[in-house]
Amino acid sequence: MLKVGVIGCGGMGRSHIDRITNRTQGAKVVAVSDVFEEGAKKAAEIAGGDCKVYTSGKDLINDPEVEAVLIVSPGFAHCDDLLEAIRLGKRVFCEKPLCTTADDCKKVMDAEVASGRHLIQLGFMRRYHKGYIQIKDAIATGEYGEPLMMHCTHRNPTVPTSYDTPMAVTDTVIHEIDLCHWMVNDDYDSVQVIMPKETSLTHDKCKDPQFMIMRTKSGIVIDVECFVNCQFGYDINCEVVTERASLKMGTPMAMSVKKDAKLTTEVTTDCFVLFKDAYDEEIQNWVDCAEKDVIEGPNTWDGYLAAVTADALVKAQQTGQIEKVITVDKPEFYK
Ligand code: ISE
């Protein structure tokens, strides 16, 4: 039984504690931490038993009973805890983003490489969604030829007024940034953002919709329509156009109903409904990998690449120009 400590007891932290306690196998939560002690105590109740409560992530990581750490605190707090876990050789599952700056991501990557062990998995859970896996596997067969283009949509019904223009990149399209390069096994070369006619249903600080284009090193062009006030649902689509085929993600688990002379299919409005199974799968895979001491999911390089690509896209939002994605060379360690 892998003994896990969870740092950050907000909604996502509590959801992972519940997942580990009630829905996945092979791990148990032995400690939780949050700067808000009351919140940590409430979260500890989900784990039950004698789950310990800390108010500092560092103290939790240093608890000898904690074998592996889940970091679900706000992004700005990740870097120090990641470095501490690497120093102690403890495995980590870290929610996105790895760190809030590319420099901090690089620091963490250097520390992990120096440790000689793959310790960190990132919470880009969409890699565990069946629809994307089917397309990735189909591309890998070679039967359809080389991928040339990808068309993605990422639509939310609405966003709060705290959501601003850069968040379309750092909070929303960050998922496609990670997914798309993984699906076609390539890294990014350049990006661009085009601002279409704005919806009247957005607010001052959020330009919406946005049309983002990413070009990979081999030349694949990926477009992502990001529309976070689309009103009608949480609508996620992906199509890969290859030399000989179009590979399009199906709508998962959506029942269609014929009634009263109408054919209807529900569109969910909730990302936690659409990706419920993916969340469970990613945590189960992280736990299973502990015994083998490997990381199969998104890793530190992916977190670094996502940060650098996101920086370039945020710049492109402002300049309207094509911006280069300039990374360090991918370390051998991650190839
Ligand atoms: C949120 O943080 C997510 O991760 C959702 O998947 C995304 O659709 C949403 O726009 C983000 O705010």
Side-chain angles (χ1 to χ4, degrees), residues 96 125-126 154 156 159 163 171-172 175 228 234 236 271:
K96 67 163 173 95
M125 82 302 175
R126 288 214 201 160
H154 191 149
N156 293 180
V159 285
Y163 185 106
D171 212 42
T172 301
H175 287 292
V228 292
Y234 187 78
I236 306 291
C271 65

